[in-house]
Amino acid sequence: MERQEGQLSMAMVTYDDGRILCDDQGITIRRYYPWGSKRIRHASIRGVETLPLTGVNRVRRWRIWGSGDLVHWWNFDPSRPKKGMALVLDVGHWIRPSITPDDADAVARIITEGQERWGGTSPR
């Protein structure tokens, strides 16, 4: 759906697993805050890093919500202990949203494509 000047357009959903929603304009991380979701536009994302939840990072898979190191902030995901891959979003702030979508590869691809389309800055 093309966005024309002066008109609002409905975002086209490209991924939704109940906790993470991606559309053509950005990503919504549900249960990010105790009171609700966090919306990040593609143009605000500087980069996305994959973080295996194995080896030294295995302890992170038990972080159900919040932060253990004041750098990564995890949305509420009670199924995180069963997952093996996380995505860390660089949004230009000290705290980096960290998520564990059901299909991490698909979400990483959608974010990368969104950066290319909407002119997100590259990681430094």
Side-chain angles (χ1 to χ4, degrees), residues 10 39 67 77 79 82 92-93 97-98:
M10 297 284 294
R39 177 78 177 157
S67 179
D77 184 354
S79 64
K82 298 175 188 172
H93 300 287
S98 303

Side-chain angles (χ1 to χ4, degrees), residues 4 9 11 13 24 29 32 39 47-48 63 69 90 104 118-119:
Q4 297 176 352
S9 66
V13 174
D24 60 345
I29 306 170
Y32 186 80
R39 177 78 177 157
V48 60
R63 172 66 54 190
D69 60 6
D90 179 357
W118 292 99

Side-chain angles (χ1 to χ4, degrees), residues 47-110:
V48 60
E49 172 190 351
T50 57
L51 180 67
L53 298 176
T54 58
V56 97
N57 289 318
R58 186 178 350 174
V59 70
R60 294 175 191 250
R61 79 176 9 172
W62 297 102
R63 172 66 54 190
I64 302 301
W65 179 77
S67 179
D69 60 6
L70 300 178
V71 174
H72 300 90
W73 186 268
W74 302 88
N75 66 311
F76 181 71
D77 184 354
S79 64
R80 186 170 290 121
K82 298 175 188 172
K83 297 180 180 179
M85 184 65 67
L87 299 176
V88 179
L89 307 179
D90 179 357
V91 292
H93 300 287
W94 181 265
I95 300 291
R96 294 181 177 208
S98 303
I99 57 175
T100 46
D102 291 344
D103 188 347
D105 291 333
V107 173
R109 186 181 68 253
I110 291 166

Side-chain angles (χ1 to χ4, degrees), residues 13-25:
V13 174
T14 55
Y15 177 87
D16 187 356
D17 66 13
R19 286 174 296 281
I20 306 300
L21 180 136
C22 297
D23 58 41
D24 60 345
Q25 297 175 16

